[in-house]
mmCIF file of all heavy atoms in Angstrom:
data_model
loop_
_atom_site.group_PDB
_atom_site.id
_atom_site.type_symbol
_atom_site.label_atom_id
_atom_site.label_comp_id
_atom_site.label_asym_id
_atom_site.label_seq_id
_atom_site.Cartn_x
_atom_site.Cartn_y
_atom_site.Cartn_z
ATOM 1 N N ASN A 260 60.445 69.510 -20.818
ATOM 2 C CA ASN A 260 61.745 69.143 -21.372
ATOM 3 C C ASN A 260 61.972 67.668 -21.057
ATOM 4 O O ASN A 260 62.453 67.313 -19.979
ATOM 5 C CB ASN A 260 62.849 70.010 -20.775
ATOM 6 C CG ASN A 260 64.207 69.684 -21.342
ATOM 7 O OD1 ASN A 260 64.426 68.642 -21.956
ATOM 8 N ND2 ASN A 260 65.142 70.581 -21.120
ATOM 9 N N ILE A 261 61.607 66.816 -22.006
ATOM 10 C CA ILE A 261 61.595 65.377 -21.747
ATOM 11 C C ILE A 261 62.976 64.841 -21.391
ATOM 12 O O ILE A 261 63.098 63.947 -20.555
ATOM 13 C CB ILE A 261 60.960 64.606 -22.921
ATOM 14 C CG1 ILE A 261 60.581 63.202 -22.487
ATOM 15 C CG2 ILE A 261 61.835 64.612 -24.137
ATOM 16 C CD1 ILE A 261 59.590 62.527 -23.379
ATOM 17 N N ASN A 262 64.036 65.406 -21.985
ATOM 18 C CA ASN A 262 65.388 64.928 -21.665
ATOM 19 C C ASN A 262 65.765 65.250 -20.220
ATOM 20 O O ASN A 262 66.368 64.424 -19.529
ATOM 21 C CB ASN A 262 66.404 65.516 -22.635
ATOM 22 C CG ASN A 262 66.223 64.969 -24.027
ATOM 23 O OD1 ASN A 262 65.840 63.814 -24.209
ATOM 24 N ND2 ASN A 262 66.481 65.796 -25.020
ATOM 25 N N LYS A 263 65.423 66.443 -19.750
ATOM 26 C CA LYS A 263 65.708 66.831 -18.362
ATOM 27 C C LYS A 263 64.892 65.974 -17.387
ATOM 28 O O LYS A 263 65.396 65.544 -16.355
ATOM 29 C CB LYS A 263 65.403 68.323 -18.166
ATOM 30 C CG LYS A 263 65.657 68.829 -16.780
ATOM 31 C CD LYS A 263 67.118 68.821 -16.439
ATOM 32 C CE LYS A 263 67.350 69.480 -15.100
ATOM 33 N NZ LYS A 263 68.683 69.296 -14.603
ATOM 34 N N ILE A 264 63.640 65.716 -17.738
ATOM 35 C CA ILE A 264 62.772 64.899 -16.883
ATOM 36 C C ILE A 264 63.310 63.483 -16.782
ATOM 37 O O ILE A 264 63.408 62.922 -15.686
ATOM 38 C CB ILE A 264 61.326 64.927 -17.417
ATOM 39 C CG1 ILE A 264 60.759 66.338 -17.331
ATOM 40 C CG2 ILE A 264 60.450 63.931 -16.670
ATOM 41 C CD1 ILE A 264 59.533 66.577 -18.184
ATOM 42 N N ARG A 265 63.681 62.912 -17.911
ATOM 43 C CA ARG A 265 64.247 61.556 -17.900
ATOM 44 C C ARG A 265 65.539 61.507 -17.103
ATOM 45 O O ARG A 265 65.795 60.547 -16.374
ATOM 46 C CB ARG A 265 64.480 61.078 -19.331
ATOM 47 C CG ARG A 265 63.210 60.729 -20.049
ATOM 48 C CD ARG A 265 63.472 60.353 -21.474
ATOM 49 N NE ARG A 265 62.248 59.900 -22.125
ATOM 50 C CZ ARG A 265 62.096 59.836 -23.430
ATOM 51 N NH1 ARG A 265 63.083 60.194 -24.236
ATOM 52 N NH2 ARG A 265 60.957 59.414 -23.937
ATOM 53 N N ASP A 266 66.361 62.527 -17.261
ATOM 54 C CA ASP A 266 67.611 62.605 -16.510
ATOM 55 C C ASP A 266 67.349 62.635 -15.007
ATOM 56 O O ASP A 266 68.026 61.946 -14.233
ATOM 57 C CB ASP A 266 68.397 63.841 -16.947
ATOM 58 C CG ASP A 266 69.739 63.948 -16.264
ATOM 59 O OD1 ASP A 266 70.516 62.968 -16.337
ATOM 60 O OD2 ASP A 266 70.021 65.005 -15.669
ATOM 61 N N LEU A 267 66.350 63.403 -14.584
ATOM 62 C CA LEU A 267 66.019 63.468 -13.158
ATOM 63 C C LEU A 267 65.474 62.141 -12.638
ATOM 64 O O LEU A 267 65.814 61.723 -11.529
ATOM 65 C CB LEU A 267 65.023 64.588 -12.885
ATOM 66 C CG LEU A 267 65.603 65.985 -12.872
ATOM 67 C CD1 LEU A 267 64.509 67.013 -12.688
ATOM 68 C CD2 LEU A 267 66.639 66.119 -11.772
ATOM 69 N N PHE A 268 64.634 61.495 -13.428
ATOM 70 C CA PHE A 268 64.152 60.179 -13.005
ATOM 71 C C PHE A 268 65.327 59.225 -12.828
ATOM 72 O O PHE A 268 65.422 58.508 -11.827
ATOM 73 C CB PHE A 268 63.159 59.603 -14.024
ATOM 74 C CG PHE A 268 61.729 59.990 -13.784
ATOM 75 C CD1 PHE A 268 61.025 60.702 -14.736
ATOM 76 C CD2 PHE A 268 61.075 59.609 -12.616
ATOM 77 C CE1 PHE A 268 59.687 61.051 -14.524
ATOM 78 C CE2 PHE A 268 59.749 59.954 -12.396
ATOM 79 C CZ PHE A 268 59.057 60.670 -13.350
ATOM 80 N N GLN A 269 66.231 59.226 -13.795
ATOM 81 C CA GLN A 269 67.378 58.333 -13.715
ATOM 82 C C GLN A 269 68.263 58.658 -12.509
ATOM 83 O O GLN A 269 68.673 57.762 -11.764
ATOM 84 C CB GLN A 269 68.189 58.408 -14.998
ATOM 85 C CG GLN A 269 69.288 57.379 -15.082
ATOM 86 C CD GLN A 269 69.971 57.389 -16.425
ATOM 87 O OE1 GLN A 269 69.952 58.390 -17.142
ATOM 88 N NE2 GLN A 269 70.578 56.283 -16.775
ATOM 89 N N LYS A 270 68.549 59.941 -12.289
ATOM 90 C CA LYS A 270 69.369 60.342 -11.142
ATOM 91 C C LYS A 270 68.712 59.955 -9.818
ATOM 92 O O LYS A 270 69.382 59.489 -8.904
ATOM 93 C CB LYS A 270 69.608 61.853 -11.155
ATOM 94 C CG LYS A 270 70.642 62.310 -12.117
ATOM 95 C CD LYS A 270 70.815 63.817 -12.000
ATOM 96 C CE LYS A 270 71.851 64.345 -12.941
ATOM 97 N NZ LYS A 270 72.015 65.793 -12.835
ATOM 98 N N SER A 271 67.400 60.168 -9.728
ATOM 99 C CA SER A 271 66.715 59.859 -8.475
ATOM 100 C C SER A 271 66.708 58.365 -8.206
ATOM 101 O O SER A 271 66.908 57.929 -7.069
ATOM 102 C CB SER A 271 65.289 60.420 -8.485
ATOM 103 O OG SER A 271 64.505 59.818 -9.495
ATOM 104 N N ILE A 272 66.525 57.568 -9.242
ATOM 105 C CA ILE A 272 66.531 56.115 -9.071
ATOM 106 C C ILE A 272 67.913 55.641 -8.652
ATOM 107 O O ILE A 272 68.042 54.808 -7.735
ATOM 108 C CB ILE A 272 66.034 55.431 -10.353
ATOM 109 C CG1 ILE A 272 64.520 55.681 -10.498
ATOM 110 C CG2 ILE A 272 66.351 53.943 -10.352
ATOM 111 C CD1 ILE A 272 63.952 55.339 -11.853
ATOM 112 N N LEU A 273 68.951 56.168 -9.266
ATOM 113 C CA LEU A 273 70.313 55.803 -8.871
ATOM 114 C C LEU A 273 70.633 56.267 -7.452
ATOM 115 O O LEU A 273 71.330 55.575 -6.707
ATOM 116 C CB LEU A 273 71.321 56.370 -9.861
ATOM 117 C CG LEU A 273 71.317 55.742 -11.251
ATOM 118 C CD1 LEU A 273 72.246 56.505 -12.185
ATOM 119 C CD2 LEU A 273 71.692 54.273 -11.173
ATOM 120 N N TYR A 274 70.107 57.425 -7.077
ATOM 121 C CA TYR A 274 70.300 57.947 -5.726
ATOM 122 C C TYR A 274 69.735 56.965 -4.702
ATOM 123 O O TYR A 274 70.411 56.592 -3.742
ATOM 124 C CB TYR A 274 69.619 59.308 -5.611
ATOM 125 C CG TYR A 274 69.582 59.872 -4.214
ATOM 126 C CD1 TYR A 274 70.659 60.589 -3.705
ATOM 127 C CD2 TYR A 274 68.468 59.708 -3.401
ATOM 128 C CE1 TYR A 274 70.632 61.118 -2.429
ATOM 129 C CE2 TYR A 274 68.428 60.240 -2.116
ATOM 130 C CZ TYR A 274 69.509 60.938 -1.634
ATOM 131 O OH TYR A 274 69.474 61.459 -0.369
ATOM 132 N N PHE A 275 68.496 56.535 -4.910
ATOM 133 C CA PHE A 275 67.891 55.621 -3.950
ATOM 134 C C PHE A 275 68.488 54.231 -4.012
ATOM 135 O O PHE A 275 68.532 53.528 -3.010
ATOM 136 C CB PHE A 275 66.366 55.589 -4.122
ATOM 137 C CG PHE A 275 65.708 56.828 -3.611
ATOM 138 C CD1 PHE A 275 65.167 57.753 -4.476
ATOM 139 C CD2 PHE A 275 65.677 57.105 -2.255
ATOM 140 C CE1 PHE A 275 64.578 58.925 -4.003
ATOM 141 C CE2 PHE A 275 65.099 58.262 -1.764
ATOM 142 C CZ PHE A 275 64.555 59.177 -2.640
ATOM 143 N N LYS A 276 68.993 53.842 -5.166
ATOM 144 C CA LYS A 276 69.689 52.556 -5.260
ATOM 145 C C LYS A 276 70.956 52.594 -4.410
ATOM 146 O O LYS A 276 71.246 51.650 -3.678
ATOM 147 C CB LYS A 276 70.035 52.240 -6.713
ATOM 148 C CG LYS A 276 70.709 50.913 -6.883
ATOM 149 C CD LYS A 276 70.965 50.607 -8.346
ATOM 150 C CE LYS A 276 71.580 49.230 -8.473
ATOM 151 N NZ LYS A 276 71.832 48.902 -9.878
ATOM 152 N N SER A 277 71.696 53.701 -4.481
ATOM 153 C CA SER A 277 72.935 53.816 -3.703
ATOM 154 C C SER A 277 72.663 53.849 -2.200
ATOM 155 O O SER A 277 73.518 53.453 -1.405
ATOM 156 C CB SER A 277 73.711 55.065 -4.119
ATOM 157 O OG SER A 277 73.081 56.236 -3.656
ATOM 158 N N LYS A 278 71.477 54.308 -1.817
ATOM 159 C CA LYS A 278 71.111 54.365 -0.400
ATOM 160 C C LYS A 278 70.384 53.095 0.063
ATOM 161 O O LYS A 278 69.977 53.009 1.216
ATOM 162 C CB LYS A 278 70.203 55.574 -0.123
ATOM 163 C CG LYS A 278 70.757 56.893 -0.569
ATOM 164 C CD LYS A 278 71.992 57.271 0.199
ATOM 165 C CE LYS A 278 72.480 58.648 -0.248
ATOM 166 N NZ LYS A 278 73.777 58.980 0.282
ATOM 167 N N LYS A 279 70.209 52.147 -0.883
ATOM 168 C CA LYS A 279 69.520 50.880 -0.609
ATOM 169 C C LYS A 279 68.082 51.111 -0.118
ATOM 170 O O LYS A 279 67.589 50.425 0.762
ATOM 171 C CB LYS A 279 70.305 50.025 0.366
ATOM 172 C CG LYS A 279 71.679 49.636 -0.143
ATOM 173 C CD LYS A 279 72.366 48.657 0.741
ATOM 174 C CE LYS A 279 73.762 48.276 0.346
ATOM 175 N NZ LYS A 279 74.259 48.399 -0.930
ATOM 176 N N MET A 280 67.444 52.090 -0.723
ATOM 177 C CA MET A 280 66.054 52.418 -0.393
ATOM 178 C C MET A 280 65.181 51.923 -1.545
ATOM 179 O O MET A 280 64.787 52.678 -2.434
ATOM 180 C CB MET A 280 65.910 53.926 -0.159
ATOM 181 C CG MET A 280 66.720 54.406 1.035
ATOM 182 S SD MET A 280 66.661 56.194 1.265
ATOM 183 C CE MET A 280 64.987 56.405 1.860
ATOM 184 N N ASN A 281 64.924 50.614 -1.520
ATOM 185 C CA ASN A 281 64.275 49.959 -2.643
ATOM 186 C C ASN A 281 62.814 50.361 -2.830
ATOM 187 O O ASN A 281 62.333 50.426 -3.963
ATOM 188 C CB ASN A 281 64.391 48.449 -2.507
ATOM 189 C CG ASN A 281 65.828 47.995 -2.615
ATOM 190 O OD1 ASN A 281 66.613 48.605 -3.324
ATOM 191 N ND2 ASN A 281 66.186 46.943 -1.904
ATOM 192 N N TYR A 282 62.107 50.625 -1.768
ATOM 193 C CA TYR A 282 60.705 51.011 -1.904
ATOM 194 C C TYR A 282 60.595 52.329 -2.671
ATOM 195 O O TYR A 282 59.812 52.455 -3.624
ATOM 196 C CB TYR A 282 60.032 51.134 -0.530
ATOM 197 C CG TYR A 282 58.602 51.601 -0.631
ATOM 198 C CD1 TYR A 282 57.595 50.714 -0.985
ATOM 199 C CD2 TYR A 282 58.272 52.936 -0.422
ATOM 200 C CE1 TYR A 282 56.280 51.140 -1.110
ATOM 201 C CE2 TYR A 282 56.963 53.375 -0.537
ATOM 202 C CZ TYR A 282 55.970 52.471 -0.880
ATOM 203 O OH TYR A 282 54.675 52.906 -1.017
ATOM 204 N N GLU A 283 61.389 53.319 -2.268
ATOM 205 C CA GLU A 283 61.370 54.619 -2.921
ATOM 206 C C GLU A 283 61.816 54.508 -4.378
ATOM 207 O O GLU A 283 61.247 55.145 -5.272
ATOM 208 C CB GLU A 283 62.258 55.604 -2.164
ATOM 209 C CG GLU A 283 61.713 56.025 -0.825
ATOM 210 C CD GLU A 283 61.973 55.036 0.308
ATOM 211 O OE1 GLU A 283 62.558 53.952 0.056
ATOM 212 O OE2 GLU A 283 61.591 55.353 1.446
ATOM 213 N N ARG A 284 62.830 53.672 -4.606
ATOM 214 C CA ARG A 284 63.309 53.462 -5.973
ATOM 215 C C ARG A 284 62.215 52.852 -6.837
ATOM 216 O O ARG A 284 61.982 53.272 -7.965
ATOM 217 C CB ARG A 284 64.542 52.558 -5.954
ATOM 218 C CG ARG A 284 65.183 52.394 -7.308
ATOM 219 C CD ARG A 284 66.533 51.735 -7.202
ATOM 220 N NE ARG A 284 66.506 50.493 -6.503
ATOM 221 C CZ ARG A 284 66.864 49.331 -7.035
ATOM 222 N NH1 ARG A 284 67.263 49.265 -8.277
ATOM 223 N NH2 ARG A 284 66.847 48.235 -6.312
ATOM 224 N N GLY A 285 61.499 51.889 -6.288
ATOM 225 C CA GLY A 285 60.397 51.267 -7.013
ATOM 226 C C GLY A 285 59.280 52.247 -7.311
ATOM 227 O O GLY A 285 58.705 52.241 -8.403
ATOM 228 N N GLU A 286 58.976 53.104 -6.358
ATOM 229 C CA GLU A 286 57.932 54.112 -6.572
ATOM 230 C C GLU A 286 58.330 55.076 -7.690
ATOM 231 O O GLU A 286 57.496 55.460 -8.510
ATOM 232 C CB GLU A 286 57.672 54.888 -5.279
ATOM 233 C CG GLU A 286 56.964 54.080 -4.207
ATOM 234 C CD GLU A 286 55.525 53.759 -4.578
ATOM 235 O OE1 GLU A 286 54.795 54.667 -5.014
ATOM 236 O OE2 GLU A 286 55.143 52.584 -4.447
ATOM 237 N N LEU A 287 59.595 55.460 -7.720
ATOM 238 C CA LEU A 287 60.059 56.355 -8.770
ATOM 239 C C LEU A 287 60.061 55.660 -10.131
ATOM 240 O O LEU A 287 59.721 56.276 -11.147
ATOM 241 C CB LEU A 287 61.447 56.890 -8.444
ATOM 242 C CG LEU A 287 61.432 58.014 -7.429
ATOM 243 C CD1 LEU A 287 62.798 58.197 -6.798
ATOM 244 C CD2 LEU A 287 60.973 59.308 -8.077
ATOM 245 N N MET A 288 60.424 54.389 -10.160
ATOM 246 C CA MET A 288 60.386 53.650 -11.414
ATOM 247 C C MET A 288 58.952 53.559 -11.940
ATOM 248 O O MET A 288 58.709 53.713 -13.143
ATOM 249 C CB MET A 288 60.998 52.264 -11.230
ATOM 250 C CG MET A 288 62.494 52.315 -10.982
ATOM 251 S SD MET A 288 63.212 50.732 -10.536
ATOM 252 C CE MET A 288 63.291 49.960 -12.123
#
């Protein structure tokens, strides 16, 4: 389900951005 997958990628990236965890955010991107 490409829409659900994209949504999860976006949520996870925003999650790590809010926690200032740039390495993890970069890995997810």
Side-chain angles (χ1 to χ4, degrees):
N260 181 344
I261 197 162
N262 292 327
K263 180 67 174 169
I264 296 163
R265 287 176 175 162
D266 183 54
L267 283 176
F268 271 119
Q269 188 174 23
K270 282 182 180 180
S271 63
I272 289 167
L273 291 173
Y274 172 85
F275 287 108
K276 182 177 183 180
S277 72
K278 306 295 183 190
K279 299 187 183 338
M280 297 176 72
N281 294 328
Y282 177 79
E283 290 82 357
R284 186 169 54 119
E286 289 291 313
L287 281 161
M288 291 172 78

